[in-house]
Amino acid sequence: MHTIEFAQIEQLLILLVVGAPGLAFLALSLAWLAGWDPRERLVARLTGVAFTASGMAVLALLWEMASHHQWSAAIELGSWFRVGNYAFPITLLADSLSLPLLALTTVLVGVVASFSRRYLHREHGYLRFFILLNLFGFAALLAFSAGSVDLLVCGWELVGLTSVLLIAFFQERREPVRNAVRVFVTYHVCDLGLVIGALFLHGAASTTLSSILFKGAWPMQSTELSAGAATVAGLLLLLAASGKSAQVPFSGWLPRAMEGPTPSSAIFYGAIAVHLGVYLLLRAQPIFQNSTIASSAVVGIGLVTAVHATLSGRVASDAKTSLAYASLAQIGLIFVETGFGFSRLALVHMIGHAAVRTLQFLRAPSMLHDYHRVHAAAGGQLAPTGTHYEALLSPVWQIWLYRLGLERGYLDSFLDRFVAHPFLRMAQLLSGFKSERRIHPGLLAGPEPEGKRLTGKLAEGFDA
Amino acid sequence: MLDKALSMLLFTGLVCVSILSAPKRNINRRTAGRLLLLAGGTLACYGAGSLAIMFAGWFLSGVAFFGDRPRRGAAGAVLGASTLCFAAALVILAIAHGPSVLLAPLGSDVIGSGQSARWAFVSMGAAVLLRSGIFPFHFWVVSAFSVGDLLPIGLLFTAQSGVELLVRFMMPAFGETARLALPLIGDLALMSALLTAFLSFGERQPRRVLGLLAASQSSFVLAGIATATGEGIAGALVHSSVVLASLTALLVIYRSLEARCSAALDSEAGGLASRAPRLAVFFIVSGLALIGLPGTLGFPGTDLLFHGALESHPYLGLALPIATALTAIRLFWLFTTIFLGRALKATPPVPDALPRERWALTAVVLFLVGTGLVPNRIVSAKASVAHGITASLPPASEAP
C-alpha cells in the first residue's frame, strides 16, 4: 500500500465523504439544542444533500484514483491528540475494500433517508430519527474508511450507539426499550474484544495502523505478527465481529432489534451495521491467515449461525423477524467465506446481500399486499412452500428442530440463566442487597415491569 | 500553571452550574454555606502553593460534612478520618524536617525515603484513599449519595482533592517511596474501579447507582496516576476533568427530576423523555462522555488511561476497559429507566429544562463535546504536567 501525495482536492474528497453526514448531524443537533424545530422538508433535504455530496465525493475519488492508476491510498490527517511518544493518528483509507463499502453506504443510507421522508411523515420523532441517521452515516463511513483499528473503534462505537437509540425509537413502549437495553449490553460486552484487541496490537506490533500492520494492498496483504499473537488478536476481533454481526451465541439481539422503525431496520440490520463485523474480519484478514485457530473459529461460528438462523427463520411468524434471520443466515455464510480466505467473494456477497436485504426490509410493510396480489394472479391457488426438507426428516426430528427453532436455539435463555443471572446474583450478594428488594431476573432486561418501577425512589430521594 | 488555572476555572464553572440549576428549594442557607466552603476549600487545594494551604483547603472543603446526621452513613466520619490522617502526616513531616516544610513550595523539598518519610507517606496515602472512596472505603460515597444534599457531596467527591495531593506533593516529594508504593496504589485503584462498577448491578436506587459509578470513575483517575507513565497520568488528569463535568451534570439533572416528580409520591416516574427531552439528551450525553464515547473529552482520557494502565499492569490493567463497559451498561440502564418507557398517568406533567438549567447544562455539554472534538489543548496541558511528574520520580530500576 502506498501513502501517496494526493492533490489537495483529493484529500478534501475523502474528508467530504466522511464529513458531510457529520456536518448534517451537527447542524440538526445544534438547531434542536437552540430550540428550533425545523420543518420535515428541510430536515430531509439537508440529509439528502449530505448523502448526495458524500456519494458524489466517493465517485469523484474513484475517478481521481483511477486516473492516477492508484487503487489504494492512506490519507494522513495528523494526530487527534498526542502525549509523548504516543499519538492517536487520523488516517483514512481508500482501497478496494473501503471504497465499495463507502459507495454502498452513501447510496443505501440516501435511499433510506428518502424513503423515511414519507414513511415517517408526521411521526413524533421525525427529527430525532434523521439526527441519528446522519450520525450513523458519519460513523459507518468513518469505520469503513478508518486507517487504524483505533479509529475504527470510534466509528464502531457510534454505530452501536445509534443502533440502540433507534431500537428504542418508540420509547413510550416497554418492549422496544427493554430490547434496546439488551442490545446495548450485547454490544458493550462484545466491543471489549475490539478495545482489548486494539490495545493488544499496540503491545504486540506497536501500532494499529493498517498501513504498517499489513504489507501490500487488500486483499493480497500479509502481516509480520507471530502465529500466537495473531491468534490472540484474531479471537478478540472475532468476539467483537460476532457481537456486531449477531453471530452465535449473540444472535438473540437481532430479532429484538426489529422493534425500531422499518427504515432503521433496513439500514442497520439489513444493510450496513450488521455487516460491520464482516468488514472487521476482512480488514484484519492477514491476522486470520496467520492463525489457523482464529480462522477455524470464524468458519465454525459462521456455519453454526447459518444453521441456527435457517431453523429459527423458518418458524418466525412475522415478516421482519423472518428477514432478520434470513440476514443472519447469509452473514453466517459470509463469515464462512471470510474464514476460508475468499475475501473478494465475501465482499461481493456482502454488497449484494446488503442491497437485496434493504429492498426487502423497505418492502416488508407491503409484503402482505404483495402476497395477495401474487395470490390473486395465481388464480387463488399458490402451491404450499417450505415442506420439502422437512419431509426428508423423521417426525421426531421435525418436532425437535421445530422446537429448537421456536426457542431460537435456546441462546437467550442460556445466556440469561448461566451468565446474566449469576452475575446479578453475585452483585446482589456483594452489595448486601436487602431481600425485600427483588432484583429483576435479567441483566439483559430493561426497566422493570410497570408497577415495580424503581423510579418511585425519585420521590423517596426528594423526601429525604 | 495553565493546568492549575484550567482546573480552577472548570471547578468554579461547575459550582456555578450547580447553583444555577439546583432546584430553588435546595438553595437554602445551609446548602449555600456548604457550597461556599466547598468551593473555597477546593480552589485552595487546586491553587495551593504549600502543604499548609493545601491542608487548609482539604479541611475547609470537608468540614461542612463532618457533622452530618448519622443516617447519611459514614461520610462525615470518613472525611474526618481522612483529614486526621493528612494532619498526622503534616505533624510527622514537621517533626522530622521542621515546620518550614509545611510552608515550602509544593514539591520543592525532596522528603527522601527515611523512616519518617515512609510514615508520612503512609498517613497521607491513607488520607488519599479514604477521600477518593477506594474500595473498601467506597461505602461512604454510596451512603452520602443515597440521601440528602446530592449536589454538594457530588462536587466534593468529584473534585478529586486526593489526586491533587498525590500529584502535586506526594509523588514529587517522596520520590523513591512513591515509586515503591505506586504499584500497590494502582492495584487497589484498579480493583476498586472494577468492583464498584460491578457492585452497581446489585443496586436499584438511582442515587446509589450514581454513587457507585462515581466511586468507580474516581478509581480510574487514581489508577491512571499510579501507572507513573506519561500516557496514564495525562489520561488520568484529562479523565478527572471529565468525571467532574459529567457527574456534576448527571447529578444536577437527577436532582432536578427529583424536585419535579415530588407530586408522584406513590407511583412511578418513568417515560420522562417525552416530557423533558432536553434533560434526557443532556443526561445521555453527559453519561456517554463519562464512559469515553468518541467525540467527547472522555475518549482521549480513557484511551490514554487504557494504554497507561496496560503498560504498567499488563493483566490487571484489563480491569479498566471491563469497568468502562459495566459503567456504560449501568448508565444506559439508568437512562432508560428514568427517561424511556411509558409515562404513567400519575406522573406529573414535568416541565423540560428551565432556561437557567438549559444554559448551564448546554455549557457543560458543549465543553464535553467541544473539547472532545478538538482535545489537543487540554491534552497538551495535562501532558506537560504528566511529564513533570514522571520526571520527578526516580527510574523504576533505581528504586530499592
Side-chain angles (χ1 to χ4, degrees):
Chain A
M1 184 183 297
H2 303 283
T3 301
I4 64 171
E5 291 295 319
F6 263 102
Q8 203 171 7
I9 187 135
E10 287 163 321
Q11 286 182 342
L12 284 175
L13 283 173
I14 189 83
L15 276 174
L16 185 60
V17 169
V18 178
L23 288 173
F25 160 73
L26 276 175
L28 291 174
S29 305
L30 290 172
W32 177 82
L33 206 60
W36 186 34
D37 189 15
R39 283 190 191 175
E40 288 186 1
R41 187 181 284 189
L42 177 62
V43 171
R45 274 213 180 136
L46 183 63
T47 305
V49 164
F51 283 98
T52 304
S54 190
M56 299 298 288
V58 173
L59 285 174
L61 188 61
L62 270 166
W63 179 265
E64 283 290 327
M65 290 179 72
S67 62
H68 284 86
H69 303 291
Q70 293 289 345
W71 297 108
S72 67
I75 298 109
E76 292 168 2
L77 301 169
S79 300
W80 198 5
F81 53 89
R82 175 186 290 273
V83 173
N85 293 330
Y86 173 75
F88 190 105
I90 301 184
T91 305
L92 299 178
L93 272 178
D95 65 359
S96 44
L97 175 60
S98 61
L99 281 170
L101 293 173
L102 291 177
L104 180 75
T105 303
T106 53
V107 167
L108 289 183
V109 180
V111 164
V112 166
S114 175
F115 178 88
S116 305
R117 186 188 157 196
R118 291 165 184 81
Y119 189 81
L120 295 175
H121 175 56
R122 291 198 174 182
E123 186 67 49
H124 175 61
Y126 187 93
L127 177 61
R128 179 162 42 103
F129 177 85
F130 275 90
I131 286 176
L132 290 172
L133 188 68
N134 279 293
L135 180 59
F136 164 73
F138 165 73
L141 292 166
L142 180 66
F144 287 140
S145 61
S148 65
V149 178
D150 291 335
L151 194 60
L152 190 146
V153 168
C154 296
W156 187 281
E157 293 292 328
L158 289 172
V159 165
L161 175 68
T162 51
S163 166
V164 165
L165 291 176
L166 278 170
I167 293 170
F169 182 79
F170 300 112
Q171 59 196 22
E172 62 283 350
R173 284 167 35 206
R174 193 183 68 193
E175 279 308 307
V177 176
R178 286 163 62 89
N179 290 337
V181 172
R182 190 180 192 101
V183 174
F184 190 87
V185 172
T186 309
Y187 275 168
H188 268 78
V189 168
C190 295
D191 288 352
L192 278 174
L194 185 60
V195 171
I196 296 172
L199 293 167
F200 178 81
L201 285 171
H202 269 288
S206 305
T207 185
T208 62
L209 277 171
S210 301
S211 55
I212 299 173
L213 205 52
F214 309 129
K215 308 294 177 198
W218 194 87
M220 313 304 291
Q221 286 179 314
S222 62
T223 182
E224 288 173 359
L225 279 178
S226 65
T231 301
V232 173
L235 291 175
L236 288 168
L237 296 179
L238 178 59
L239 172 64
S242 299
K244 192 64 89 187
S245 294
Q247 301 296 286
V248 168
F250 309 111
S251 308
W253 71 260
L254 189 60
R256 293 167 189 271
M258 297 300 117
E259 294 282 355
T262 294
S264 74
S265 300
I267 199 63
F268 280 84
Y269 316 116
I272 305 296
V274 79
H275 288 109
L276 208 51
V278 180
Y279 170 76
L280 177 63
L281 297 183
L282 289 174
R283 180 58 72 193
Q285 185 68 7
I287 292 177
F288 290 94
Q289 281 170 356
N290 266 21
S291 167
T292 314
I293 294 173
S295 54
S296 302
V298 174
V299 172
I301 284 173
L303 269 175
V304 170
T305 304
V307 170
H308 156 69
T310 304
L311 280 175
S312 301
R314 291 174 83 84
V315 303
S317 57
D318 66 284
K320 282 174 77 174
T321 304
S322 189
L323 283 173
Y325 278 112
S327 279
L328 203 49
Q330 289 300 309
I331 293 167
L333 292 176
I334 298 173
F335 263 56
V336 173
E337 290 159 7
T338 309
F340 279 125
F342 301 128
S343 306
R344 283 199 183 97
L345 174 63
L347 178 61
V348 170
H349 191 168
M350 186 164 68
I351 291 170
H353 176 243
V356 167
R357 209 60 78 190
T358 303
L359 172 66
Q360 288 183 324
F361 269 106
L362 295 180
R363 292 291 301 170
S366 312
M367 201 175 279
L368 200 57
H369 172 75
D370 290 345
Y371 174 78
H372 285 313
R373 214 167 43 153
V374 169
H375 188 75
Q381 290 173 354
L382 273 177
T385 58
T387 57
H388 173 71
Y389 294 109
E390 282 81 353
L392 298 175
L393 299 168
S394 68
V396 172
W397 272 102
Q398 285 184 31
I399 292 168
W400 193 84
L401 287 173
Y402 176 77
R403 186 61 193 267
L404 188 66
L406 209 60
E407 297 293 341
R408 297 177 180 178
Y410 295 96
L411 292 173
D412 285 353
S413 47
F414 176 85
L415 285 175
D416 281 347
R417 190 171 178 188
F418 294 107
V419 177
H421 200 264
F423 179 89
L424 287 175
R425 195 80 205 139
M426 191 170 306
Q428 196 179 345
L429 285 169
L430 287 178
S431 69
F433 199 68
K434 291 181 186 167
S435 58
E436 62 265 23
R437 287 185 286 165
R438 188 183 70 83
I439 202 162
H440 196 272
L443 167 71
L444 304 178
E448 286 198 54
E450 290 160 9
K452 290 186 179 181
R453 287 283 187 79
L454 78 91
T455 50
K457 300 294 181 183
L458 284 175
E460 216 179 281
F462 171 76
D463 285 343
Chain B
M1 205 58 187
L2 175 66
D3 177 60
K4 246 193 239 183
L6 283 173
S7 302
M8 292 169 78
L9 190 62
L10 178 65
F11 187 79
T12 309
L14 290 168
V15 171
C16 295
V17 163
S18 300
I19 294 171
L20 261 179
S21 315
K24 285 190 178 166
R25 66 193 87 184
N26 275 166
I27 303 299
N28 49 36
R29 274 191 202 169
R30 188 158 182 249
T31 307
R34 277 189 169 184
L35 282 171
L36 277 173
L37 277 173
L38 172 64
T42 306
L43 291 173
C45 269
Y46 284 176
S50 66
L51 262 183
I53 296 176
M54 184 167 270
F55 177 74
W58 185 285
F59 175 78
L60 268 179
S61 58
V63 71
F65 302 90
F66 287 171
D68 272 354
R69 292 169 287 166
R71 70 181 286 212
R72 194 160 295 159
V78 172
L79 288 171
S82 77
T83 307
L84 281 174
C85 288
F86 195 170
L90 294 185
V91 167
I92 294 170
L93 287 173
I95 291 171
H97 299 275
S100 59
V101 73
L102 304 183
L103 298 172
L106 282 174
S108 61
D109 280 350
V110 175
I111 305 295
S113 58
Q115 183 85 347
S116 58
R118 289 183 182 179
W119 279 112
F121 186 89
V122 165
S123 194
M124 268 188 191
V128 169
L129 294 177
L130 285 166
R131 184 86 169 218
S132 302
I134 299 299
F135 188 89
F137 305 114
H138 67 286
F139 60 88
W140 79 264
V141 183
V142 181
S143 57
F145 271 58
S146 60
V147 290
D149 279 335
L150 192 55
L151 298 180
I153 199 71
L155 281 168
L156 169 75
F157 185 69
T158 55
Q160 306 277 342
S161 302
V163 169
E164 283 294 308
L165 177 61
L166 182 64
V167 160
R168 296 187 57 217
F169 177 72
M170 292 171 70
M171 286 171 78
F174 287 100
E176 291 176 31
T177 309
R179 171 62 82 179
L180 276 175
L182 283 175
L184 177 62
I185 294 175
D187 289 346
L188 283 172
L190 287 167
M191 286 192 300
S192 178
L194 185 58
L195 275 166
T196 43
F198 174 66
L199 289 176
S200 69
F201 285 85
E203 294 288 347
R204 299 295 281 179
Q205 230 192 49
R207 276 180 173 239
R208 293 177 71 86
V209 171
L210 286 168
L212 282 163
L213 296 181
S216 178
Q217 293 299 309
S218 168
S219 305
F220 272 53
V221 178
L222 204 58
I225 301 291
T227 62
T229 61
E231 295 100 11
I233 297 174
L237 295 175
V238 171
H239 196 65
S240 70
S241 303
V242 175
V243 169
L244 183 57
S246 296
L247 272 171
T248 302
L250 289 173
L251 296 178
V252 158
I253 294 166
Y254 186 75
R255 189 67 202 103
S256 302
L257 290 173
E258 276 185 338
R260 283 163 165 80
C261 295
S262 60
L265 294 177
D266 57 359
S267 67
E268 304 79 12
L272 293 177
S274 56
R275 299 181 188 196
R278 274 191 178 71
L279 286 177
V281 168
F282 290 141
F283 190 95
I284 192 70
V285 172
S286 305
L288 291 171
L290 196 60
I291 55 139
L293 185 76
T296 65
L297 187 61
F299 182 76
T302 50
D303 186 66
L304 290 166
L305 266 174
F306 291 169
H307 279 95
L310 280 167
E311 194 180 320
S312 62
H313 297 80
Y315 297 103
L316 200 52
L318 290 174
L320 286 191
I322 297 172
T324 303
L326 295 178
T327 304
I329 292 168
R330 209 60 186 145
L331 270 173
F332 188 75
W333 172 86
L334 201 58
F335 169 73
T336 57
T337 303
I338 296 173
F339 289 102
L340 304 187
R342 193 174 57 165
L344 299 176
K345 286 181 185 171
T347 306
V350 297
D352 198 0
L354 302 170
R356 56 185 171 86
E357 292 169 340
R358 192 186 298 188
W359 284 112
L361 291 169
T362 300
V364 176
V365 163
L366 286 178
F367 165 74
L368 288 170
V369 174
T371 52
L373 294 174
V374 192
N376 249 330
R377 288 254 167 127
I378 286 194
V379 172
S380 301
K382 304 295 183 184
S384 61
V385 174
H387 177 74
I389 295 168
T390 51
S392 69
L393 287 170
S397 56
E398 288 182 18

